[in-house]
Amino acid sequence: HFIMPNTGEEVYIPDGVAHFLEHKMFEQPDGTNSLDTLMALGIDANAYTTNDHTAYLFECTDNFYEGLDELIDYVQHPYFTEENVEKEKGIIGQEIGMYDDDPGWQLYMNAMDCMYKENPIKIDIAGTVESISKITPDVLYKCYNTFYNPANMTMVVCGDFEPEKLLEEIKKNIRNKSVISCFKTKIEYVSTFFDCGNDRNKGSGVIMKIEGTREEIAWVKEAIKNSCSRRPFLESCNKQAKEEGA
């Protein structure tokens, strides 16, 4: 559960909400799906949820800026209705059933249950069929409005591009223009270039973190250095786990 920052309301949420929210972020009011839009551009796109963050990512060789615009757009425009939420419950229910039949996953979850008495890390990310049945559009909007904001996000981009052009494109697509004032002071501190160590993989990269400690920023830099690629790669996620990719 959490406290709504604007109202002070204490909100209790069913298990599996973060994962459910990840599934629903691609759907748009005009009936399109942003995942399909990215794939139609020849872009390999995906998303995932862990115990402490959700990530939306893509990689490509062409149409990078079109993909970037689409990603920034859909993570800022949630669209939840009674109909599409009910439809998703069936899809995620099947996914839960698949993991219920996976011996390795069951071994992992039982081990977590034995090791932790109260810590929420023991809760299955997808929840249960019973818990997701309690998810409503109102619950999703409350979670989105609390956690999906630039101050709670990290954007990582690496590849052969012009950093200043990239930053202008990002600023242009930020819905809440008041957060752009955060960019200037942070960009000066975290902008950097990476040389992957050989001619085939040389490129430039920039890391933008609207809020973060020196330790967090240093960790993200090191993670990017360890995963240099010839292809532009973008990952936007909430609360990067320091253990992930380190």
Side-chain angles (χ1 to χ4, degrees), residues 1-43:
H1 71 284
F2 57 89
I3 305 296
M4 291 284 290
N6 295 330
T7 65
E9 176 189 358
E10 188 171 10
V11 179
Y12 287 85
I13 57 174
D15 295 342
V17 168
H19 175 255
F20 201 106
L21 191 56
E22 171 219 315
H23 272 238
K24 294 309 303 169
M25 286 305 301
F26 293 100
E27 194 161 345
Q28 302 301 308
D30 61 3
T32 62
N33 185 295
S34 290
L35 190 59
D36 294 335
T37 300
L38 291 167
M39 292 176 66
L41 291 168
I43 293 172

Side-chain angles (χ1 to χ4, degrees), residues 8-230:
E9 176 189 358
E10 188 171 10
V11 179
Y12 287 85
I13 57 174
D15 295 342
V17 168
H19 175 255
F20 201 106
L21 191 56
E22 171 219 315
H23 272 238
K24 294 309 303 169
M25 286 305 301
F26 293 100
E27 194 161 345
Q28 302 301 308
D30 61 3
T32 62
N33 185 295
S34 290
L35 190 59
D36 294 335
T37 300
L38 291 167
M39 292 176 66
L41 291 168
I43 293 172
D44 182 15
N46 210 335
Y48 64 83
T49 299
T50 73
N51 292 101
D52 59 6
H53 72 271
T54 296
Y56 301 92
L57 53 101
F58 74 78
E59 55 182 323
C60 62
T61 53
D62 296 301
N63 300 317
F64 171 74
Y65 284 102
E66 291 86 345
L68 178 65
D69 291 347
E70 182 67 24
L71 184 144
I72 295 176
D73 183 66
Y74 77 73
V75 297
Q76 295 183 99
H77 294 92
Y79 177 64
F80 312 131
T81 66
E82 294 287 348
E83 182 180 1
N84 68 28
V85 168
E86 286 302 313
K87 177 183 176 182
E88 200 66 34
K89 289 177 182 178
I91 296 171
I92 295 178
Q94 290 181 342
E95 183 179 347
I96 292 172
M98 179 182 70
Y99 279 99
D100 285 345
D101 289 335
D102 184 329
W105 183 253
Q106 290 305 308
L107 177 63
Y108 169 75
M109 291 307 304
N110 284 330
M112 298 298 284
D113 189 50
C114 291
M115 289 190 293
Y116 297 96
K117 182 178 180 180
E118 303 291 343
N119 195 305
I121 197 173
K122 65 186 289 182
I123 299 172
D124 194 313
I125 296 162
T128 64
V129 172
E130 181 181 4
S131 69
I132 65 171
S133 69
K134 302 173 184 176
I135 294 176
T136 65
D138 181 61
V139 167
L140 294 176
Y141 276 118
K142 285 180 178 178
C143 291
Y144 175 88
N145 291 328
T146 300
F147 298 104
Y148 277 62
N149 62 78
N152 197 39
M153 292 181 177
T154 299
M155 178 173 284
V156 178
V157 185
C158 65
D160 185 13
F161 58 84
E162 298 176 13
E164 292 306 321
K165 179 181 177 182
L166 175 65
L167 294 176
E168 286 304 315
E169 191 71 19
I170 294 169
K171 292 178 184 179
K172 183 179 73 176
N173 286 282
I174 295 296
R175 183 179 65 177
N176 182 1
K177 300 301 181 182
S178 64
V179 305
I180 291 180
S181 60
C182 300
F183 286 13
K184 185 177 295 184
T185 56
K186 289 295 180 182
I187 288 302
E188 290 177 358
Y189 178 60
V190 302
S191 291
T192 186
F193 290 88
F194 300 115
D195 183 346
C196 294
N198 58 68
D199 292 335
R200 289 182 58 202
N201 286 333
K202 279 187 178 179
S204 60
V206 60
I207 302 172
M208 182 186 69
K209 187 168 177 58
I210 294 176
E211 288 190 355
T213 65
R214 289 178 181 270
E215 290 78 12
E216 289 172 333
I217 293 170
W219 170 81
V220 175
K221 285 184 180 180
E222 187 62 28
I224 292 299
K225 288 180 182 178
N226 292 335
S227 61
C228 277
S229 170
R230 293 182 64 192

